[in-house]
Amino acid sequence: MRVLIIGLGYAGTRFLNAFSRTSERPEFAYVGRNRQDSPLPYYESTARALTEFQPDVVVVTVPDMAHAEVLSQLDGFRGFVLAEKPLALPGEDLSQIEFHLRDVSGFCMDLVERYSEATQVLRSHVLENDLRLVRAHFTWGKDRINDHRPTSGVQSEVIHPLDLVQWIAGRGGELVLDSVLGTRSDFSVSGDDVLDSVAVSARLDGGRVTGYSSFVNITRSRGIDFVFRDPAGELCYAAAVYDTPVWDADWLRVWRRTSDGDEPIREVDTRHRAVPDEARTIVKLSRMAEDVSDFVRHGHRPADPFPSLADAVSLQRLLNAMDTRVNSAAPVAYFPAGRPVLQEADLERLG
């Protein structure tokens, strides 16, 4: 199996490491503006790489603002595409992206938290017990202040909880946005008024959803609280926490309240599970890579379907609506006197 990585930066290197851990042990090549300090075959253009390397899988990990352009360069490609989120920038033509990817054998968007055991157990519990959403609330943020990687803004962060709420509790329904408050700033090298935080309210399958997401959270915080109603009319509670205190350390608790106290129903806890150094920060990503490899090489469909192109387009439309409707004040200036150049090596902050 041959894997072509378009954009061998921080995200691309994580995918390289994840695919290297799969049972297939693929060959790799990469496309980039410049040759990296890497022994892998290098191509200056996507077209040449597709022709000469003939990959089975293409991984798109370029900056957000280049996603649509690079995906369009895959016109006619018949292999599998794995793409970083979000799919595009607000205002870009989603129908053209779908058209250019019409021939691919499969597609997966990097909505990596679907591959958490906490997510999988909770989603199965909701479906098996016919639970209906009453209320969900998320807090999802991290610190990217003075991060020198280009970004479209908080759209790339809030996409995770928006997807998870629908995936876990939506029963096939889609979020309907009610309101959006936001804050813009110069936190990123991408501009002086990039949307860095949003507070949203929405509806989903009769339930209400609220949440806050930010790229300027000083402490990483990733969690979703749920209240469900079962067929008998009783309430069921669930709390899922992700990547705390470190990447891939996830926790889920599902319970009922009774006169004798809380009655535990389900629990998942990976916080104290030992992780080899070579798998640090890529446990869930490696599960995704293994599913892709198994599908490409053997035609085995994963137990849970890949986050599809249709899912990606639907989420992008939601992000576009958020961007159009956001109510924000004057932007915050973190660096009025200029941006200091810092060397960043903390994987927990970069992720």
Side-chain angles (χ1 to χ4, degrees):
M1 188 176 78
R2 294 186 173 189
V3 176
L4 176 68
I5 299 175
I6 305 179
L8 193 63
Y10 171 73
T13 300
R14 294 185 71 237
F15 274 107
L16 172 66
N17 293 337
F19 273 100
S20 296
R21 289 175 50 79
T22 65
S23 56
E24 298 300 332
R25 303 291 181 178
E27 299 177 52
F28 294 97
Y30 71 100
V31 175
R33 293 181 179 177
N34 302 294
R35 186 185 296 271
Q36 303 291 321
D37 183 16
S38 169
L40 302 179
Y42 165 69
Y43 296 93
E44 294 181 352
S45 74
T46 299
R48 183 178 174 188
L50 293 177
T51 300
E52 297 184 9
F53 186 62
Q54 297 185 350
D56 302 292
V57 179
V58 171
V59 181
V60 178
T61 51
V62 293
D64 299 358
M65 45 285 300
H67 285 181
E69 176 186 356
V70 171
L71 290 170
S72 296
Q73 292 171 0
L74 300 180
D75 190 278
F77 178 59
R78 296 182 180 276
F80 193 100
V81 174
L82 201 166
E84 264 295 350
K85 40 73 189 171
L87 187 65
L89 300 182
E92 293 184 312
D93 190 342
L94 300 180
S95 64
Q96 282 298 303
I97 297 175
E98 291 179 289
F99 174 77
H100 291 303
L101 296 178
R102 65 194 180 280
D103 294 325
V104 299
S105 62
F107 181 94
C108 176
M109 174 159 278
D110 181 19
L111 297 171
V112 70
E113 301 301 352
R114 287 196 189 188
Y115 291 82
S116 166
E117 291 172 59
T119 300
Q120 293 168 345
V121 168
L122 181 54
R123 183 171 187 264
S124 294
H125 183 77
V126 168
L127 293 174
E128 290 166 3
N129 293 276
D130 194 23
L131 301 183
R132 302 280 177 169
L133 181 68
V134 176
R135 177 73 185 273
H137 180 77
F138 63 81
T139 302
W140 204 277
K142 64 183 177 185
D143 174 15
R144 281 189 62 173
I145 298 173
N146 201 26
D147 186 342
H148 284 256
R149 293 173 296 169
T151 175
S152 60
V154 73
Q155 292 92 331
S156 185
E157 184 76 349
V158 73
I159 191 172
H160 284 298
L162 293 178
D163 175 65
L164 285 175
V165 169
Q166 294 179 107
W167 180 243
I168 291 168
R171 308 170 64 89
E174 294 184 1
L175 277 166
V176 178
L177 206 58
D178 285 327
S179 66
V180 189
L181 294 175
T183 307
R184 300 178 184 275
S185 74
D186 63 351
F187 83 99
S188 164
V189 295
S190 300
D192 294 333
D193 60 350
V194 177
L195 191 64
D196 66 36
S197 306
V198 288
V200 304
S201 64
R203 288 164 282 138
L204 177 65
D205 192 31
R208 294 287 175 172
V209 179
T210 57
Y212 175 75
S213 183
S214 177
F215 263 161
V216 297
N217 244 47
I218 304 305
T219 302
R220 187 175 62 218
S221 179
R222 294 176 174 173
I224 311 177
D225 295 335
F226 295 91
V227 181
F228 298 101
R229 196 182 312 280
D230 69 15
E234 298 295 323
L235 295 181
C236 175
Y237 302 85
V241 178
Y242 299 87
D243 302 315
T244 304
V246 296
W247 272 39
D248 298 314
D250 300 343
W251 176 74
L252 167 71
R253 179 174 176 245
V254 183
W255 73 98
R256 296 184 189 278
R257 289 178 179 163
T258 72
S259 298
D260 297 323
D262 290 349
E263 175 188 320
I265 300 174
R266 302 292 296 270
E267 186 166 348
V268 172
D269 192 345
T270 69
R271 290 174 295 182
H272 306 294
R273 187 175 298 173
V275 175
D277 287 345
E278 63 271 18
R280 185 178 166 222
T281 80
I282 60 168
V283 173
K284 287 173 282 197
L285 201 70
S286 296
R287 292 178 189 144
M288 180 192 297
E290 190 67 56
D291 275 358
V292 171
S293 297
D294 201 31
F295 175 78
V296 170
R297 291 289 292 158
H298 307 291
H300 297 159
R301 294 192 175 276
D304 289 318
F306 294 116
S308 66
L309 182 57
D311 293 336
V313 169
S314 176
L315 282 164
Q316 188 60 51
R317 289 191 178 120
L318 187 61
L319 294 177
N320 291 352
M322 185 185 74
D323 186 78
T324 300
R325 298 174 57 181
V326 65
N327 184 0
S328 59
V332 176
Y334 286 100
F335 306 106
R339 187 182 303 275
V341 178
L342 303 177
Q343 296 298 319
E344 185 63 75
D346 185 356
L347 296 180
E348 294 297 336
R349 199 181 88 85
L350 284 172

